[in-house]
Amino acid sequence: QKEVEQNSGPLSVPEGAIASLNCTYSDRGSQSFFWYRQYSGKSPELIMSIYSNGDKEDGRFTAQLNKASQYVSLLIRDSQPSDSATYLCAVTAYSGAGSYQLTFGKGTKLSVIP
Amino acid sequence: SAVISQKPSRDICQRGTSLTIQCQVDSQVTMMFWYRQQPGQSLTLIATANQGSEATYESGFVIDKFPISRPNLTFSTLTVSNMSPEDSSIYLCSVVLITGELFFGEGSRLTVL
């Protein structure tokens, strides 16, 4: 059973601070890693993809991947109240004959306090 | 990314009726999935929509209750049959691009009375 674990939160940070969201996964064969943002009542929106060890930056967002530790994180710099949402970690594995399996964590609820 | 059109965006239905949700993508995709998300809960995969063949259902979901069609690469439908209040949920179409990234449609919010 492939698992993706996230702290459910809520994680509260003051406006302007760095929010750090963490995710661990069980399948060492996982190949692609994604972060989604979901506002209440809306569908999830893909905000970051990362495929290799290290950091990937996009604006105020940085994704960090450590395959040896089976750990992926999302940092949000200069957090804004508009960042308040649930953040979903997702991990994929391809398993023969083009089979694609995407496993989602249950999400971390982030609240940015003005 | 891809533009995913899902309709209806919301509906209120009577118990015992059926509703078909449509999903149209503006580009070719490798895979299409249907998810359900009940209020305050995480995403649950219903099935993989296979082009030209029967969908692959996850544990707990059956074809009689959730028939799915995918006649071509860019279009799929999900029917919620013989609805009960327990079926009230958001139903999400999702697609995988050649990059391996998965995108969601806007969702269809279903309320069953």
Side-chain angles (χ1 to χ4, degrees), chain A residues 32-110:
Chain A
S32 305
F33 307 85
F34 308 100
W35 284 99
Y36 291 82
R37 177 178 62 199
Q38 186 174 24
Y39 293 114
S40 180
K42 301 294 186 181
S43 64
E45 173 192 9
L46 179 64
I47 57 172
M48 287 290 284
S49 307
I50 187 167
Y51 305 98
S52 55
N53 280 328
D55 294 359
K56 179 182 178 183
E57 186 174 319
D58 183 0
R60 295 186 296 111
F61 298 99
T62 299
Q64 299 175 317
L65 175 61
N66 184 326
K67 289 187 177 181
S69 300
Q70 297 176 240
Y71 176 92
V72 58
S73 65
L74 179 71
L75 301 178
I76 306 174
R77 291 182 300 282
D78 187 25
S79 295
Q80 301 297 308
S82 59
D83 296 325
S84 298
T86 296
Y87 290 80
L88 302 168
C89 173
V91 174
T92 66
Y94 290 86
S95 53
S99 175
Y100 174 101
Q101 181 172 4
L102 178 67
T103 303
F104 281 91
K106 294 187 182 300
T108 298
K109 186 172 184 179
L110 172 66

